Amino acid sequence: NAGVMQNPRHLVRRRGQEARLRCSPMKGHSHVYWYRQLPEEGLKFMVYLQKENIIDESGMPKERFSAEFPKEGPSILRIQQVVRGDSAAYFCASSTVGVGGYTFGSGTRLTVV
Amino acid sequence: EDKVVQSPLSLVVHEGDTVTLNCSYEVTNFRSLLWYKQEKKAPTFLFMLTSSGIEKKSGRLSSILDKKELSSILNITATQTGDSAIYLCAVAQVEAGNMLTFGGGTRLMVKP
């Protein structure tokens, strides 16, 4: 069981470029969550998805950010026209229904230069 | 606004010491409280607490929830350098899907 796989581990983008972060949940997990961790801060919820559905996106910035979890393939967090303030670690987690303890991936560290 | 507050922000101890980390919360429709350990990579799950007063234990780590005081503590006895990490507390709420509200973490450093 490979766990939650995120890639890339590190991503550097120039201001104005697009960032695409990928997350493959643990085998058997159908619920995916994205969290953002700014330097010296805790994890902040962004979005909760199931296959082909966004269940809760209350933590997503209204502009430039989008997420999907297609029927086939990984979940994608997409950030358009990145700005320096988007620099953070983005963690994906997965779970089965009704289980409170997520399994987290190792994160993608996005640096915007 | 729902919030989870952890204290202290950081802590430096020597190997063999015992530490107590605190987490307090103010959330609507509390369901459970979770502790995670974050080293350089992914947060790893430690405990999930739903009932007040029942201690959960795993080796040198233990945790307990006090619903009356809206708080939890995480104890680590006989600390080792490998315990150095950020310890995160999070709260799950009823009817919030499986979303967690995290505290800011306590950074623990254990010196040899």
Side-chain angles (χ1 to χ4, degrees):
Chain A
N1 194 340
V4 178
M5 304 300 293
Q6 288 189 249
N7 66 80
R9 292 290 304 279
H10 300 275
L11 183 61
V12 179
R13 284 286 176 267
R14 294 188 184 280
R15 279 179 296 170
Q17 290 185 319
E18 179 180 287
R20 291 172 72 89
L21 289 62
R22 294 175 202 80
C23 169
S24 296
M26 277 187 73
K27 191 174 180 181
H29 286 189
S30 58
H31 299 250
V32 166
Y33 314 82
W34 285 93
Y35 283 77
R36 177 165 63 176
Q37 187 174 37
L38 294 168
E40 306 302 321
E41 290 189 19
L43 292 153
K44 303 289 186 193
F45 170 76
M46 297 182 77
V47 62
Y48 162 35
L49 309 108
Q50 294 178 25
K51 286 281 186 183
E52 300 184 282
N53 279 306
I54 297 174
I55 307 302
D56 182 350
E57 56 181 349
S58 58
M60 287 276 272
K62 294 285 185 281
E63 297 178 349
R64 302 188 297 108
F65 285 71
S66 62
E68 63 176 9
F69 188 16
K71 189 175 179 182
E72 301 291 337
S75 176
I76 305 286
L77 179 68
R78 184 179 174 210
I79 312 171
Q80 295 177 289
Q81 298 176 312
V82 295
V83 301
R84 288 232 172 96
D86 297 333
S87 296
Y90 291 83
F91 287 93
C92 169
S94 71
S95 73
T96 58
V97 176
V99 175
Y102 299 156
T103 300
F104 277 92
S106 295
T108 292
R109 298 193 184 277
L110 172 66
T111 302
V112 180
V113 297
Chain B
E1 185 184 334
D2 298 324
K3 62 179 180 181
V4 178
V5 178
Q6 293 185 243
S7 63
L9 287 179
S10 64
L11 194 53
V12 180
V13 300
H14 287 94
E15 273 192 316
D17 288 349
T18 293
V19 298
T20 298
L21 309 183
N22 300 286
C23 176
S24 62
Y25 59 90
E26 286 181 35
V27 301
T28 53
N29 301 318
F30 172 89
R31 185 176 73 188
S32 58
L33 186 144
L34 299 94
W35 285 96
Y36 285 85
K37 177 183 181 183
Q38 185 179 22
E39 296 172 88
K40 290 183 180 176
K41 302 177 183 178
T44 52
F45 174 74
L46 294 175
F47 299 111
M48 182 169 72
L49 305 158
T50 53
S51 300
S52 210
I54 298 175
E55 185 183 55
K56 292 224 172 171
K57 201 168 169 64
S58 176
R60 295 176 295 102
L61 277 66
S62 63
S63 184
I64 196 162
L65 175 67
D66 186 338
K67 283 186 176 178
K68 190 175 176 185
E69 296 296 326
L70 306 182
S71 66
S72 173
I73 58 170
L74 175 69
N75 279 319
I76 310 174
T77 59
T79 51
Q80 302 171 357
T81 55
D83 295 327
S84 297
I86 298 171
Y87 290 83
L88 298 168
C89 170
V91 170
Q93 296 161 266
V94 176
E95 296 181 4
N98 230 0
M99 182 188 90
L100 296 178
T101 301
F102 279 85
T106 292
R107 185 181 294 272
L108 173 66
M109 180 181 293
V110 181
K111 292 188 171 182

